[in-house]
Amino acid sequence: MKKRLMKKYLKRISEGQQLKKEVPFFYVSQAKSIVDDYLEWFHFSVFRPWWYQQDWKEMDFSKAITEQYKSAEVDFQSKWSIDLRALSDEYKNRKRVQTRKPGKPKPEPPVRRLRHPEVFSIRLRSGEWYGVEGEIAFEHQGYKFFIYHTGSYWSVADVITGALIKSAETYKKAVNQARERIVNNFDSYVKITEKTLVH
């Protein structure tokens, strides 16, 4: 998203919250998407590199990620003067409201079948490991990455650490975006992975 549009959407939300005026749902949904992208960027580019530099014996993963995310949210709220919890509540509440008579429901597109299914492990935010069915999506300089379906999205993770790389609505988009992220940040990814193997 262009920075000009991002500023426009966030400014509209900030003004609406301060003046206690309802903002068109379009702006609410756009702002919610911006916040989600920001937190995803924070997890991949800030929290993960920081976490793999710590002494895990002295730390609790769940507590650490909660504190780091709170800090990220405070920084975002301070910069844009937006109450993120209020934004999230407004998005959920207004999304449930049926504004017009629903049309004939469209059939859900079939979920793409995995050609070479295997069981892989992903690491949850709590630090626990969870098995999922997926398949190898691509390989980059000897490192393998797999894709699995969550029920709503296709997600790509790495085989070694089980860490999420990217999620998207379609198989192809998830793979392409994950590949681009790994290629553009490969040196950082290797350092994080090596740190994980040491521990």
Side-chain angles (χ1 to χ4, degrees), residues 88-107:
S88 179
D89 290 343
E90 183 177 8
Y91 176 80
K92 291 176 182 178
N93 293 335
R94 293 178 64 181
K95 188 179 181 182
R96 295 193 191 102
V97 176
Q98 186 69 53
T99 58
R100 61 182 178 180
K101 185 178 179 180
K104 185 177 180 180
K106 296 180 179 179

Side-chain angles (χ1 to χ4, degrees), residues 155-166:
S155 297
V156 177
D158 72 341
V159 172
I160 296 177
T161 67
L164 175 67
I165 306 299
K166 189 66 181 178

Side-chain angles (χ1 to χ4, degrees), residues 53-69:
Q53 292 175 359
Q54 308 306 308
D55 183 357
W56 295 349
K57 296 178 181 178
E58 306 295 328
M59 302 184 69
D60 177 81
F61 181 83
S62 181
K63 182 179 180 181
I65 195 170
T66 298
E67 291 178 349
Q68 289 289 318
Y69 267 69

Side-chain angles (χ1 to χ4, degrees), residues 6 24-25 34-35 44 50-51 61 64 67 109 111 118 128 135 142-143 155 162 167-168 196:
M6 184 183 76
F25 184 70
I34 292 170
V35 173
F44 188 83
W50 173 84
W51 173 251
F61 181 83
E67 291 178 349
V111 176
E118 301 178 51
E128 299 177 351
E135 67 180 8
Y143 292 85
S155 297
S167 293
T196 305

Side-chain angles (χ1 to χ4, degrees), residues 22 47-48 71 74 82 93 106 116 135 140 189:
E22 186 173 278
F47 175 74
R48 283 186 62 196
S71 176
V74 168
I82 292 176
N93 293 335
K106 296 180 179 179
H116 306 288
E135 67 180 8
H140 183 69
Y189 166 77

